[in-house]
Amino acid sequence: MTASGDGQTKTTVAAEHLRAVTERVFGARGVSTADARFVTDVLVEANLRGHDSHGVVRVPKWVIGLESGAINARCAPRVIRETANAALVDGDRGLGPVVAKVATALVAEKARGAGIAMVSVRRASHIAMLQYYPEVLAAQGLIGVVMSNTEPGVAPYGGIDKVLGTNPLSIGVPGRSGPIVLDMSTSHVARGKIVAARNRDEQIPEGWAIDDQGRPTRDPAAALLGALLPVAGAKGFGLSIMVDLLAGALSGGAVTKAVRGTFRMDEEATKGDLFLAIDPGAVADPEAFLDRVEDLKADVRASRTAPGVARIYLPGEPEMECRSNRLEEGIPIETDLLHELETLAAEAAA
Ligand SMILES: NC(=O)c1ccc[n+]([C@@H]2O[C@H](COP(=O)([O-])OP(=O)(O)OC[C@H]3O[C@@H](n4cnc5c(N)ncnc54)[C@H](O)[C@@H]3O)[C@@H](O)[C@H]2O)c1
């Protein structure tokens, strides 16, 4: 057990312990062994990569969804509309990662045949850390794009009400020395980072959020009552709008204030997801494309660094650095959360 800087006691655990406990929690609530293992992998990978706000901290909420019946433990996702290179998947109210796994496999299969493919998903809950899925596609030599719309918490550019979600977007491109994977919410920061600042009794930087009267605030408590701001002003706002439409509206799901399924888990999900896959070989010489990817990495890394900056990272590299550290040193997790997970797993065994 270690003291942490965010006002909560933390314990460092091996990824394998977290996996074993989390799999038991899901398995005990009717989720098949294979699905429990996959959902656990997505969540523990988020912890390994430093995205703790999208890791096992989600488990107690997802348990609420499973126990209330809002989430279907034994979902059977099915294709309800299909062409040679497109499909609409009904997630049957399943756990988001279980449905996302089906969508990822389907979009890969279609892209290999057609060069480019899209799969829209509706009626699936939160898919957690998006980068997991484009990375699966990149490992097969495909470019992957995944986006999701989420419950409202972000003000429109120039507005002050919570209208948009944090609406994340991830793009993965294969490379010989590993993929380049961008994975970002379209808000300035994830809500979890403001909660962490409040727990540490720290001010947040200006520009992250506004209070409930629309005034810029550095007080995390006031920010949580107010709204998050889009990243990069009007540009992040524009991206968020497009994610809401391409993930939400296109799948037949909800947009803006009617979106459910990412925060409150006792209601059926109305959010949507979009999965795109591109086979570089459809338009380019695949080897030449991979050469350019490596050229880009080398050129970016060769830039002189700004004062105080030790090295330049490509998108996805900070996560991979954190992953190798946490595999070696363990994952720091709030002690209370670990106990809660162990209790939920033990209830299973009883
Ligand atoms: N499923 C959902 O509904 C949902 C909603 C919101 C966010 N999320 C997830 O939350 C996670 C966190 O999102 P975020 O916006 O806080 O991410 P972030 O701000 O930590 O990172 C955003 C991107 O910037 C890159 N990056 C960060 N620091 C860098 C540096 N120094 N140099 C180069 N690149 C750098 C990262 O690799 C990443 O691709 C993501 O995995 C996202 O998918 C999921």
Side-chain angles (χ1 to χ4, degrees), residues 101-126:
K101 184 183 180 189
V102 170
T104 303
L106 180 59
V107 82
E109 184 192 317
K110 284 186 176 290
R112 274 193 294 270
I116 180 167
M118 62 169 278
V119 171
S120 273
V121 173
R122 69 181 185 205
R123 295 179 76 233
S125 73
H126 193 242

Side-chain angles (χ1 to χ4, degrees), residues 1-303:
M1 200 175 288
T2 55
S4 79
D6 63 2
Q8 299 197 36
T9 312
K10 286 198 176 176
T11 304
T12 300
V13 288
E16 283 324 302
H17 180 64
L18 221 41
R19 277 182 205 283
V21 172
T22 306
E23 277 181 34
R24 281 210 304 279
V25 174
F26 287 120
R29 284 160 184 87
V31 180
S32 72
T33 305
D35 286 351
R37 188 165 299 151
F38 183 74
V39 173
T40 295
D41 192 47
V42 173
L43 293 174
V44 174
E45 275 297 324
N47 286 108
L48 281 170
R49 294 167 191 220
H51 290 308
D52 296 321
S53 60
H54 287 73
V56 295
V57 70
R58 300 278 169 166
V59 172
K61 273 188 177 289
W62 292 11
V63 163
I64 291 173
L66 289 164
E67 291 183 343
S68 70
I71 298 178
N72 178 1
R74 290 280 173 168
C75 69
R78 64 193 176 96
V79 173
I80 52 175
R81 205 179 265 215
E82 190 169 26
T83 69
N85 66 345
L88 172 63
V89 170
D90 181 309
D92 192 25
R93 296 186 293 106
L95 282 161
V98 173
V99 185
K101 184 183 180 189
V102 170
T104 303
L106 180 59
V107 82
E109 184 192 317
K110 284 186 176 290
R112 274 193 294 270
I116 180 167
M118 62 169 278
V119 171
S120 273
V121 173
R122 69 181 185 205
R123 295 179 76 233
S125 73
H126 193 242
I127 68 171
M129 177 185 70
L130 265 61
Q131 65 195 248
Y132 192 99
Y133 313 102
E135 204 175 284
V136 168
L137 295 168
Q140 300 171 45
L142 299 168
I143 297 166
V145 181
V146 177
M147 53 190 93
S148 251
N149 68 340
T150 74
E151 288 181 37
V154 181
Y157 184 62
I160 68 170
D161 293 328
K162 292 176 170 126
V163 176
L164 295 161
T166 53
N167 297 355
L169 163 73
S170 180
I171 304 176
V173 173
R176 287 205 180 88
S177 58
I180 301 176
V181 188
L182 170 71
D183 178 14
M184 53 172 278
S185 40
T186 50
S187 52
H188 207 292
V189 284
R191 191 175 178 277
K193 288 181 185 163
I194 296 183
V195 173
R198 185 194 56 191
N199 293 345
R200 283 197 300 268
D201 220 5
E202 277 178 17
Q203 298 269 291
I204 55 171
E206 195 134 345
W208 281 18
I210 48 178
D211 68 15
D212 64 351
Q213 298 303 310
R215 294 173 296 223
T217 184
R218 299 196 55 210
D219 172 5
L224 290 169
L225 291 174
L228 304 186
L229 290 173
V231 67
K235 298 178 191 182
F237 164 61
L239 268 179
S240 177
I241 295 272
M242 293 307 165
V243 170
D244 217 16
L245 292 172
L246 296 179
L250 196 57
S251 65
V255 294
T256 65
K257 293 182 171 182
V259 178
R260 296 288 179 273
T262 52
F263 187 65
R264 290 196 50 176
M265 288 292 157
D266 55 349
E267 289 180 37
E268 283 190 25
T270 61
K271 56 163 276 280
D273 310 292
L274 178 67
F275 295 76
L276 296 172
I278 299 167
D279 178 357
V283 290
D285 169 356
E287 293 306 316
F289 176 69
L290 291 175
D291 286 344
R292 293 295 85 74
V293 174
E294 297 309 313
D295 290 347
L296 177 142
K297 287 179 183 173
D299 286 350
V300 169
R301 288 184 180 127
S303 166

